[in-house]
Amino acid sequence: MQRTKVIDALKSTDFGNEILVKGWVRTHRSSKSVDFIALNDGSTINNIQLVVAPDCPVDGAALRDITTGACIAARGILVESQGAGQASEVQCQHIDILGLCPTDYPMQKKGQSFEVMRKSAHLRLRTNTFGAVMRIRHNMAIAIHKYFHDHGFFYFHTPLITASDAEGAGQMFQVTTKNLYRLEKDEEGHIIYDDDFFGKMTSLTVSGQLEGELGATALGAIYTFGPTFRAENSNTPRHLAEFWMIEPEVAFIDLPELMDLEEDFIKYCVQWALDNCADDLAFLNKMIDRTLIDRLKSVVETEFVRLDYTEGIRILQQAIRDGRKFEFPCEWGDDLASEHERYLVEEHFKKPVIMTHYPKKIKAFYMKIDDQLPELDGKTMEQTVQGTDVLFPQIGEIIGGSVREENYDKLLGEIQSRNIPMKDMWWYLDTRKYGTCPHGGFGLGFERLILFVTGMQNIRDVIPFPRTPKNAEF
């Protein structure tokens, strides 16, 4: 007999017909006259109830072995449910135990901290919370591909192994086949890479942007969606060593158009979640964050604020004068901390903010330099760039982007002034040498999007198997 998924069984109105369902036991309640088993197969947050009457041909001892976490196959009659909260249930005629689950199963139906559950990341996926998060994660991936496909972007695959550092931070994982116990060095003490697999020093990518720009200058509009890696020794709830990035690049786009694209894209993704993940969002709204759904709706319905960095600093400094306390300093030229970003979004404007025109010195070498110098309190500040950060409630920065510098001489000047090795940049400069064009793009950390959409508080809980400092289990 063909198996019916739980999500389909719950929607079915073919009452009186025989049905076969398979899955894992969420709860098992027994009484003298009947047993109730809540079964879930991962297809939905909702369980289907199995009603096991005394005349069901299941050995009593075997029935007692069906505990939380056990895997079973149940065949019976689909009937209209007599209980509240569900339309249908199964009157069992036969149960096969596919996999018993001992009582030391870590994911028992009881309150456990997410920190404890991370130690059993191989099993936590079976819980209601993580099932909901992973289904939403799937839907967000579908939404991303659909949005860009419908808007004429081409899915572009950039390399995971690279010899260049897009961010210039140097926090990269090296890739090598060399024997680390016998490293040969030259007279200056530098490691010789001639015998390494690629013949040079290579690392896992921190971004597909630079290669993505090559695609945009050929195809017009592309997007990447893949894993990236950063060897940043950070244990905050917002950082991972391995995470997924979405990075569109568009030819002939200016700063206002880029901000419009960022806002439209993220609103589309949030609306997709509201339209396609209603049951999972309702569960997370009840169990994790009771303001979740209202917050998602407000993002879709609200026009994002466009805020110049210098004006943002003015607002923050005024808040300090008015008595607001911040842990980190807030002077012009500082890279804003999450607390500053969240103040602007959650307290001052009470809506998402797209901040622009950051100081050149705190942004990447490839960002287009502004022509005019900003002023703050009557003082002329340093050069700024056409960078954009989208700031969200509870998250802080969720998107970082910019118009790229398309002028060969200006880009070369930035590369040289920042001491970026030319041997790694010649091919990137060629795009400004041969038929350069205005272009821009942004990067969205996929896990930060999932954090916002699910209401979860730690980024390690929105990826199946988190990679963080000193943690590469499973």
Side-chain angles (χ1 to χ4, degrees), residues 63-84:
L63 189 60
R64 288 192 294 272
D65 288 337
I66 300 176
T67 57
T68 297
C71 183
I72 65 174
R75 179 170 50 82
I77 304 300
L78 185 71
V79 298
E80 195 167 0
S81 178
Q82 301 302 309

Side-chain angles (χ1 to χ4, degrees), residues 307-321 329-336 340 344 355 358-359 362 376-377 381:
L307 179 68
D308 186 281
Y309 169 90
T310 302
E311 179 60 25
I313 292 295
R314 184 180 289 111
I315 293 170
L316 291 166
Q317 291 182 344
Q318 183 60 52
I320 293 171
R321 287 191 291 270
C330 182
E331 299 295 332
W332 197 98
D334 291 337
D335 198 359
L336 297 186
H340 303 136
L344 292 169
M355 185 171 280
Y358 285 85
I362 64 172
L376 179 63
D377 297 333
M381 301 291 110

Side-chain angles (χ1 to χ4, degrees), residues 235-259:
N235 270 303
T236 78
R238 296 290 181 266
H239 289 90
L240 291 167
E242 175 187 297
F243 56 99
W244 287 65
M245 285 279 284
I246 302 98
E247 297 178 291
E249 286 291 329
V250 189
F252 316 115
I253 196 171
D254 61 19
L255 185 60
E257 291 169 336
L258 177 61
M259 290 188 285

